[in-house]
Amino acid sequence: MQPGPSNLITDVEGLRVGNAQDARLKSGVTVLTADEPFACGVHVMGGAPGTRETDLLAPDKMVQAVDALVLAGGSAFGLGAAEGVMAGLRAAGRGFAVGEALVPIVPAAILFDLLNGGDKGWEDSPYPALGRRAFEAAASQFTLGTAGAGTGAMTARWKGGLGSASAVLEDGTTVGALVAVNALGSVTAPSGQFWAGPWEMGAEFGGVGLGGPFDPGHEPGPEKRQGEATTIAIVATDAGLDKAALTRLAVAAHDGLARAILPSHTPFDGDLVFAVSTGRRPADPFRLGHAAACTLARAVARGVFEATPAPGDRQPCWREWRG
């Protein structure tokens, strides 16, 4: 595997990503969309998820494709971001046809960032407007780190962030990952080296690797309460997969979270992975699962690596510490 041209999930042809954030709020929204509906599955392994429209992604449910996916901060308030995305899609004439009506299909997942030092004293939720802005900003290039759904994210030790990565397999298939890292666990060893180091390509998150003997340090204890964490992700491919195969791909991709975050999938996290297919190439499910896990692990590390400082932060940025 080699990184794609941009090393972003949008290396999967046809996909676009948009971010919108509010620095005072210390929160934001990230939207994945495309010019046409795409197949999608999902798998949840965290104990405290917050979701919208995920039941319809089950293989036995009628709707076979979605118009966009939303990753948002704001805990349950952030689910309202999907309303703004639906409004943008409706204005563009997009949606699932029910008679003469069009209903945009927009599953969403949220992370908890209500206690990160941002101003949360709103009267009307800001998330629908942020969702509309993120949808309208969708493009092939987008900002990582302190952006979109990763704006106010935190981890056990470092400021979290929005990460992405891609890989091109030997047969030309492309796999991409997008993740908002807001984990209970740590993304680095006590030395500051990323747990995802063995899967790094080039110096995409510092080039420091793990090196030396394996040293997990002390077992981490929870510094957040139940529901205050959550890492939410999307993996995508141009291989043709139906909803059942995409559900299986999402299951495999969770290995990437376990490789990059220690611990992951706790009762305090709502860890979730969506899986997306644009369906443009033949599929090799065996290789795709491994590629998705590796790519998601890299995306997690990139999200923390790319985070930048902002007034009122309650955690340091990894790059500031590294110097």
Side-chain angles (χ1 to χ4, degrees), residues 43-251:
H43 188 66
V44 181
M45 288 189 69
T51 61
R52 168 187 166 127
E53 296 273 49
T54 50
D55 282 354
L56 61 78
L57 301 180
D60 64 330
K61 299 301 185 290
M62 179 178 66
V63 173
Q64 294 300 306
V66 307
D67 296 294
L69 293 173
V70 172
L71 306 180
S75 189
F77 299 103
L79 293 174
E83 296 291 338
V85 178
M86 289 183 71
L89 285 161
R90 186 172 186 234
R94 295 278 304 277
F96 181 74
V98 184
E100 296 180 358
L102 290 176
V103 182
I105 306 299
V106 186
I110 49 87
L111 55 82
F112 186 98
D113 59 4
L114 298 180
L115 300 177
N116 63 0
D119 181 1
K120 307 302 194 294
W122 66 76
E123 292 185 7
D124 296 316
S125 173
Y127 288 97
L130 286 168
R132 181 69 179 263
R133 282 173 46 200
F135 172 74
E136 292 175 348
S140 60
Q141 299 294 312
F142 57 96
T143 302
L144 301 184
T146 306
T151 299
M154 300 192 294
T155 71
R157 181 177 177 185
W158 310 111
K159 189 174 180 178
L162 185 74
S164 190
S166 68
V168 180
L169 282 61
E170 290 183 0
D171 65 359
T173 301
T174 300
V175 174
L178 177 70
V179 60
V181 187
N182 185 63
L184 174 77
S186 176
V187 299
T188 64
S191 63
Q193 294 167 301
F194 287 99
W195 293 120
W199 293 276
E200 186 174 18
M201 294 186 179
E204 62 186 347
F205 44 88
V208 296
L210 277 177
F214 180 77
D215 177 18
H218 298 293
E219 288 295 320
E223 297 184 16
K224 301 181 182 180
R225 291 167 293 183
Q226 189 163 3
E228 290 184 10
T230 295
T231 297
I232 45 180
I234 303 168
V235 294
T237 181
D238 54 3
L241 300 175
D242 60 16
K243 289 204 295 182
L246 285 168
T247 302
R248 199 63 236 165
L249 184 65
V251 172

Side-chain angles (χ1 to χ4, degrees), residues 1-13 15 164-178 201 234-239 241 246 249 252-253 273-278 281-299:
M1 293 184 287
Q2 298 293 327
S6 297
N7 202 16
L8 298 171
I9 194 171
T10 48
D11 285 331
V12 177
E13 186 178 356
L15 297 182
S164 190
S166 68
V168 180
L169 282 61
E170 290 183 0
D171 65 359
T173 301
T174 300
V175 174
L178 177 70
M201 294 186 179
I234 303 168
V235 294
T237 181
D238 54 3
L241 300 175
L246 285 168
L249 184 65
V273 178
F274 292 110
V276 166
S277 169
T278 59
R281 298 181 59 88
D284 181 349
F286 178 82
R287 292 179 182 271
L288 285 174
H290 172 63
C294 294
T295 306
L296 182 51
R298 294 164 48 219

